[in-house]
Amino acid sequence: MSKIDSKQVEINDNLSANKEIEDFIKPFREHIEKDLDSVLAYSVDTYSKSDGDLNTAIGNFMADAVYSESNPIFKSRTGHDIDMVLLNYGGIRSILSKGNVTKRTAFELMPFENSVVVAALKSAQIDSLISYLSKGKRAHPISKLKLTLDKDYQVVEAKIKGQNIEPNKTYYVATNDYLYNGGDNMSFFKTSDSLYVLNYKIRNALIDNFIKNDTISPVIDDRFIQIN
């Protein structure tokens, strides 16, 4: 019978780097760092997800970017347009700082590997989505949905692309795979008629949008508000 000896090796800052390995990976690291720091656009101000109550400039930017970059892909594959976008407040992981915007900025905003998916929802599920937003009272990023609440957080108006929500109509809602699978308790996605996987990361949508728009200047608007 063979005897196997083992010992515990603590991983800490006292471990010295292996020069041979460091020399090998150095050019790759430098190439990646240079690529991450390449300037794509300019942000006219600093934007944070804490800047607004029910919608924020940075959340609006991210949701609008997902719509503008994902819709052509979805339409080319299905012949349909995306009707609206819903992301999550907690998915915004950094501020967007004033000044140069780089690929690193996109990785800071969205460090996760979440991808864009499009769920086909009936109007009843859209009603559940709207109820979730009105009860949650959080600035989850949305695009193409306009939601107005009264002082008691009851829905006064809800429109998609400027139109009233129609009974029995199918709406194509872009989101990320984490939320589609029930993240942040968004259970209304579970009964979707169909799911379209675009194989397109949220982060890549942000990068593509940065490249197309050399000046980033999002605003807080009236897409999700409360009136007295």
Side-chain angles (χ1 to χ4, degrees):
M1 179 180 293
S2 300
K3 182 181 179 181
I4 300 175
D5 293 320
S6 65
K7 65 178 181 178
Q8 183 175 357
V9 178
E10 184 179 357
I11 306 298
N12 56 44
D13 293 339
N14 295 324
L15 288 176
S16 59
N18 185 302
K19 186 178 185 304
E20 184 177 348
I21 295 176
E22 285 294 313
D23 289 344
F24 178 77
I25 66 175
K26 181 179 179 181
F28 298 99
R29 180 190 292 117
E30 290 176 347
H31 174 76
I32 292 172
E33 293 290 334
K34 183 177 180 180
D35 183 54
L36 286 174
D37 291 329
S38 58
V39 177
L40 307 178
Y42 182 84
S43 176
V44 301
D45 206 343
T46 296
Y47 304 97
S48 166
K49 68 179 183 181
S50 62
D51 289 342
D53 294 326
L54 297 178
N55 78 88
T56 66
I58 191 172
N60 295 346
F61 163 74
M62 291 178 67
D64 289 347
V66 168
Y67 179 84
S68 63
E69 304 308 320
S70 301
N71 192 55
I73 300 171
F74 181 67
K75 188 164 186 175
S76 69
R77 296 181 187 177
T78 67
H80 298 291
D81 283 304
I82 293 171
D83 290 297
M84 62 161 286
V85 175
L86 171 61
L87 303 177
N88 59 317
Y89 179 87
I92 306 172
R93 306 301 289 186
S94 174
I95 63 172
L96 177 59
S97 298
K98 181 178 180 179
N100 289 336
V101 174
T102 65
K103 282 188 179 181
R104 190 185 299 276
T105 306
F107 276 83
E108 291 169 346
L109 285 171
M110 176 52 64
F112 311 116
E113 297 300 306
N114 296 135
S115 295
V116 180
V117 298
V118 180
L121 303 184
K122 294 295 188 184
S123 57
Q125 293 162 286
I126 295 294
D127 289 342
S128 296
L129 183 159
I130 290 169
S131 177
Y132 174 92
L133 291 175
S134 62
K135 292 177 180 178
K137 307 170 187 176
R138 298 195 81 186
H140 292 298
I142 59 175
S143 183
K144 306 304 177 185
L145 169 67
K146 187 176 187 300
L147 186 57
T148 304
L149 308 179
D150 65 17
K151 62 182 179 64
D152 298 316
Y153 291 92
Q154 299 300 306
V155 177
V156 174
E157 181 183 60
K159 292 187 175 183
I160 294 177
K161 289 186 173 178
Q163 302 296 318
N164 292 327
I165 296 165
E166 300 178 22
N168 302 316
K169 180 178 177 179
T170 297
Y171 290 90
Y172 296 101
V173 180
T175 187
N176 64 53
D177 48 359
Y178 166 74
L179 298 180
Y180 178 81
N181 289 312
D184 277 9
N185 296 314
M186 294 192 185
S187 57
F188 43 82
F189 283 120
K190 291 181 179 179
T191 54
S192 62
D193 284 357
S194 303
L195 176 68
Y196 303 86
V197 179
L198 302 191
N199 294 314
Y200 189 38
K201 295 188 187 305
I202 300 286
R203 181 191 309 121
N204 290 345
L206 298 181
I207 290 171
D208 290 341
N209 196 263
F210 286 148
I211 293 171
K212 289 181 181 177
N213 300 285
D214 59 9
T215 302
I216 309 300
S217 55
V219 296
I220 297 172
D221 56 26
D222 64 349
R223 69 185 67 190
F224 188 12
I225 59 172
Q226 182 185 28
I227 57 176
N228 294 321

